[in-house]
Amino acid sequence: MTADTHSQRRLLRPTSKVLPEHARAHNRSMVLQQLFHSGEQSRADLARATGLTRVTVSDLVASLLAEGLVTELELRAEGKVGKPGTPIGLRADAFQIVAVDLADDERMHGAVLDLSGKVRERRSAAVAGRTGQAAVDALLGLCRDLVAAATCPVLGVGVGSPGVVDPAGTVVQAPNRGWYDVALAADLGDALGLPVHVANDANTAALGEFTYGGAGGGGLLVLTVGGGVGAGIVLDGALVQGHEHAAGELGHVTAVDERDDIDGAPLGRPQQCACGRSGCLETVLSVPAIRRRIEGLAPEARDAALASVGRRLGIVLAPVVSALNLSEVVVSGPRELLDGPLRSAALAALRERTMPVISRDLDLRMTSLGEDGALSGAAVLVLSGQLGVS
């Protein structure tokens, strides 16, 4: 396994010791991870939870106190014999994170969040049809506005972008934005003077669900539906990126051809996709495509049309769920379109096409994070990249 491959598959939440040359950063992440997810703990509690020695934990805590990332809290009377250890807590207000979601074709959405994921400020900017360098410039302007709105030091900037994004934050291709081999993280970082982390928008949504959305311990797929369609996958505690960093590009799986007739409701001639091919799932399931399909329909016909799209989604998802034995599929997008007939039909089609042991307990649900899922995930990019926390 190469170093690059290993970095792509690294566990999002480190739980064990590593080689000496990487030990301090890894152990620091373990302590921060414990405080992030379990709340305030004494140094002794941290040592027990992480398996590190008390001396190591004390040294790490001293460093984190000096950085302002943690604080010592007041002792609590617990009725135990002996002097209780001083609780250590993560300072959620020590730094702020700028997060930007580019999934919407019409507006770029951004926010300033604290380390707990709470949104403190919001900003947005119109896309106005801009592509290429003009779109990069508009994104930079939004990021500058958000950094200026922060009320304490900015830890970094996280961006969820459409398209294929490599681990260095270069957008390999995002046809809807006219971006090809755009070094987005490096360019924004140079202009802002801050660490910038960029990932595929569906991957950021998966990170948000994994960290803040109450996802279970099994395999997770987050399907994002907006101007396009994508998927982010977390498997065995690691974000799946794939050989060419394009894992989860379900939106460009051919899902419709001229022979298709779903539930007696023909989908019509396959539509041209932004990728240059025809009949991609995105041409059926994207928000603009769904709205065109149901426009002017009576309620009963509208539900039938949504169900036909949901059935097609279930057919596409079935081999993915079966191959990876996923436990959760989370859908992120407009609830009024995706919940109800569409989601129900997708689950029914998926169960028809997979073994009961695979799909019997599968949870196919809407995201619990609402419209902030991608922003939360973009914040996790920074938490993970800068602090090793997710």
Side-chain angles (χ1 to χ4, degrees):
M1 179 180 285
T2 66
D4 286 346
T5 303
H6 178 75
S7 68
Q8 292 168 24
R9 286 289 300 163
R10 71 181 178 85
L11 290 179
L12 291 167
R13 295 176 183 169
T15 56
S16 60
K17 300 176 185 177
V18 290
L19 298 174
E21 59 265 34
H22 306 302
R24 185 170 180 82
H26 180 85
N27 294 342
R28 178 178 183 270
S29 294
M30 289 174 64
V31 169
L32 287 170
Q33 192 82 261
Q34 187 68 23
L35 293 172
F36 183 81
H37 288 286
S38 300
E40 62 186 64
Q41 297 181 49
S42 69
R43 290 168 177 81
D45 291 336
L46 287 169
R48 281 190 291 270
T50 60
L52 300 171
T53 67
R54 292 195 182 195
V55 172
T56 298
V57 168
S58 293
D59 179 53
L60 289 168
V61 168
S63 176
L64 294 170
L65 284 166
E67 293 177 57
L69 281 168
V70 302
T71 186
E72 291 185 325
L73 305 171
E74 292 184 7
L75 292 173
R76 294 173 303 181
E78 297 180 347
K80 295 181 180 179
V81 177
K83 182 181 178 180
T86 303
I88 306 298
L90 186 68
R91 285 188 58 201
D93 60 348
F95 293 89
Q96 290 179 335
I97 295 170
V98 167
V100 180
D101 173 23
L102 301 179
D104 191 335
D105 275 354
E106 296 182 355
R107 297 195 71 80
M108 297 179 288
H109 300 277
V112 177
L113 301 89
D114 64 22
L115 298 189
S116 70
K118 184 175 181 179
V119 173
R120 297 297 182 179
E121 295 284 345
R122 293 182 188 272
R123 299 286 189 278
S124 68
V127 174
R130 285 175 285 209
T131 59
Q133 187 58 46
V136 174
D137 293 341
L139 171 59
L140 176 59
L142 176 60
C143 289
R144 281 179 169 147
D145 287 346
L146 289 162
V147 170
T151 56
C152 59
V154 175
L155 184 65
V157 178
V159 179
S161 169
V164 178
V165 184
D166 73 14
T170 294
V171 180
V172 179
Q173 57 175 315
N176 291 343
R177 289 286 183 269
W179 289 343
Y180 297 89
D181 294 319
V182 175
L184 198 58
D187 291 347
L188 292 176
D190 289 344
L192 296 169
L194 289 167
V196 176
H197 301 268
V198 180
N200 170 268
D201 54 353
N203 285 345
T204 62
L207 290 176
E209 197 70 37
F210 181 71
T211 301
Y212 296 115
L220 166 72
L221 183 149
V222 176
L223 185 79
T224 57
V225 181
V229 175
I233 303 168
V234 176
L235 195 63
D236 295 332
L239 183 66
V240 177
Q241 302 223 30
H243 174 59
E244 294 292 344
H245 323 300
E249 282 294 329
L250 295 182
H252 298 291
V253 171
T254 300
V256 182
D257 65 32
E258 294 179 350
R259 297 166 295 176
D260 277 321
D261 187 304
I262 302 175
D263 297 336
L267 292 175
R269 185 178 179 82
Q271 299 297 305
Q272 186 77 17
C273 182
C275 73
R277 300 163 65 242
S278 297
C280 293
L281 180 64
E282 191 169 290
T283 66
V284 178
L285 185 63
S286 69
V287 169
I290 295 176
R291 293 198 189 281
R292 286 193 299 270
R293 184 167 174 78
I294 65 174
E295 186 177 6
L297 295 181
E300 186 174 339
R302 179 184 185 275
D303 287 351
L306 290 171
S308 71
V309 173
R311 185 168 178 79
R312 177 54 60 183
L313 171 61
I315 292 170
V316 170
L317 285 176
V320 180
V321 169
S322 190
L324 300 179
N325 192 193
L326 301 175
S327 63
E328 289 180 276
V329 174
V330 177
V331 182
S332 176
R335 185 175 290 271
E336 71 276 12
L337 297 177
L338 303 174
D339 205 2
L342 193 154
R343 183 175 65 86
S344 296
L347 181 58
L350 200 159
R351 284 181 169 157
E352 287 173 6
R353 285 164 169 75
T354 55
M355 295 175 62
V357 70
I358 296 289
S359 59
R360 180 174 52 239
D361 297 322
L362 177 72
D363 187 12
L364 196 162
R365 61 177 175 85
M366 296 299 297
T367 178
S368 61
L369 299 176
E371 296 180 355
D372 285 341
L375 289 173
S376 297
V380 175
L381 287 178
V382 178
L383 285 171
S384 180
Q386 299 303 118
L387 303 180
V389 170
S390 64

